[in-house]
Amino acid sequence: MQDTLLITFKIMLQSLGITFIAMIVFYALIKVLVTCFPEDN
Amino acid sequence: MEALLASFKDFTLGNAIMFLIGGVLIYLAIKKDYEPMLLLPIGFGAILANIPSSSAIGEHGFLTILYNAGIATELFPILIFIAIGAMIDFGPLLQQPFMLFFGAAAQLGIFITTIFARALGFTLKEAVSIGIIGAADGPTSIYVANLFAGNLIGPITVAAYSYMSLVPLIQPPVIKALTTPEERKISMDLTLCKVSKTTRILFPIFVTAIAGLLAPMSVSLIGSLMFGNLIRECGVLDKLSQAAQNELSNLVTLLLGITIGSTMIAEHFLTIKTLLILGMGLFAFVFDTAGGVLFAKLLNLFLPHKINPMIGAAGISAFPMSARVIQKMAQKESPGNFILMQAVGANVAGQVGSILAGGVLIYLVSKMTL
């Protein structure tokens, strides 16, 4: 049981990490888009 | 005469209890206005499914046909995502991209609840399906539960939608327990950058591509949401956008609700597992709220301009209810404190965060159990 809990914990930590990394990427994406396309022609 | 009474003979105490549960859901929908578009069809579906020898379920029953066509294939949740995408205005998020991080932090409940469910003896796939109630996002819960634990889809859906409607009751005590009155009084400067139409159009396309590359299994979820948003933002498909926001959304919600209700058959629903799922669903919402608030407090240790930590709690996906709750609490602490725009930004981020977390979990767990 301890083993499976440890595996679950690792998966959850990975998921949380990937979710945060994706948000950092999206944050950078928005900054780039807003800078590159500030106004419509 | 005997044939006429056959159904009465087969009517069990379990069926009666399910009638009662169906009735309570219908009552909550009509009288309390708790997610009526979902809880009313779910309640009625539960009644239909618990009539002995019901022709609504079984091989040729229309609810079983709907289940096989729309839930088992994941079609209904995907269509709902297109509709939600067409309804979402990412503007407040694009103007305040920093709020994205609260959309990630407020998914903490998913991960803590999954570990808790695993500790209680649920399988990994069941535990993830229960944890995903913390996404505070009905279609994501249905999507993941159907993929990993089809037998639990009824209680998971009921828990997800019930707690979403109870956000105004669940979040305030958790926020108050974790913040001081001074923290809740913090006012925040509103600096909104201008967002061009090009940015609004490119955002859903890039997000789909990036999310797909990071977690390919999330493409159905994120892709359909972003497709709906692209229809909204492109400016040349107004009729399709309106159709997605109204006709598609209403029709699929109707079919989704009654079909989910039909899975709530007494012998499957009236188990200790259902009670545990309902309990853990609440647990997930509490930890979502705590995750967002504590993350904001952590950031405040380093930021020169402090954030009102209540904003973190708006990072859950229950839109726009959570943002409204936060604004109401802020005004109660300090009349004139207006943090609605920031809360809406975090709330929209929560919608992205919940779907992303769901997609990532599907990807990791599928890879693990291959």
Side-chain angles (χ1 to χ4, degrees), chain B residues 264-327:
Chain B
M264 293 163 59
I265 298 164
E267 54 262 45
H268 301 144
F269 193 85
L270 297 176
T271 63
I272 195 76
K273 274 188 175 179
T274 299
L275 283 178
L276 287 173
I277 289 168
L278 292 174
M280 282 186 285
L282 179 61
F283 185 83
F285 272 65
V286 167
F287 274 90
D288 279 344
T289 307
V293 172
L294 293 176
F295 182 68
K297 288 181 71 146
L298 177 72
L299 291 179
N300 275 347
L301 296 176
F302 308 100
L303 293 173
H305 300 290
K306 304 295 177 206
I307 297 169
N308 188 319
M310 292 196 295
I311 292 292
I316 68 167
S317 180
F319 182 86
M321 204 182 295
S322 186
R324 283 188 199 146
V325 168
I326 302 308
Q327 172 57 27

Side-chain angles (χ1 to χ4, degrees), chain B residues 119-304:
Chain B
L120 285 177
F122 286 92
T123 65
L124 178 61
K125 287 186 170 181
E126 286 176 340
V128 167
S129 305
I130 296 166
I132 210 75
I133 295 172
D137 176 347
T140 303
S141 299
I142 293 169
Y143 189 92
V144 176
N146 182 57
L147 207 63
F148 286 160
N151 56 321
L152 302 179
I153 198 167
I156 286 173
T157 308
V158 169
Y161 280 105
S162 302
Y163 293 132
M164 274 163 65
S165 64
L166 292 174
V167 159
L169 298 179
I170 297 170
Q171 287 205 306
V174 181
I175 294 169
K176 279 187 180 171
L178 295 172
T179 54
T180 63
E182 284 69 36
E183 285 175 321
R184 296 195 291 273
K185 282 177 188 159
I186 293 175
S187 62
M188 293 168 68
D189 291 334
L190 187 63
T191 44
L192 299 176
C193 62
K194 203 173 175 188
V195 178
S196 66
K197 190 177 171 185
T198 313
T199 300
R200 285 174 179 267
I201 291 172
L202 289 177
F203 180 69
I205 299 171
F206 276 100
V207 167
T208 305
I210 293 168
L213 290 171
L214 276 173
M217 296 288 279
S218 71
V219 171
S220 305
L221 295 171
I222 290 270
S224 51
L225 183 88
M226 293 301 164
F227 172 60
N229 192 252
L230 184 61
I231 291 174
R232 172 197 175 97
E233 299 295 351
C234 71
V236 292
L237 294 174
D238 281 350
K239 277 189 183 173
L240 286 191
S241 173
Q242 287 304 317
Q245 290 180 46
N246 299 298
E247 289 85 356
L248 181 68
S249 166
N250 292 339
L251 189 62
V252 181
T253 302
L254 175 87
L255 297 178
L256 185 74
I258 199 163
T259 310
I260 293 290
S262 75
T263 65
M264 293 163 59
I265 298 164
E267 54 262 45
H268 301 144
F269 193 85
L270 297 176
T271 63
I272 195 76
K273 274 188 175 179
T274 299
L275 283 178
L276 287 173
I277 289 168
L278 292 174
M280 282 186 285
L282 179 61
F283 185 83
F285 272 65
V286 167
F287 274 90
D288 279 344
T289 307
V293 172
L294 293 176
F295 182 68
K297 288 181 71 146
L298 177 72
L299 291 179
N300 275 347
L301 296 176
F302 308 100
L303 293 173

Side-chain angles (χ1 to χ4, degrees), chain B residues 312-363:
Chain B
I316 68 167
S317 180
F319 182 86
M321 204 182 295
S322 186
R324 283 188 199 146
V325 168
I326 302 308
Q327 172 57 27
K328 208 171 158 189
M329 286 184 75
Q331 282 209 308
K332 201 172 168 191
E333 288 294 339
S334 166
N337 191 5
F338 195 76
I339 55 170
L340 184 64
M341 278 307 284
Q342 291 91 338
V344 168
N347 217 174
V348 174
Q351 294 192 295
V352 178
S354 66
I355 295 178
L356 190 70
V360 170
L361 276 174
I362 291 171
Y363 173 64

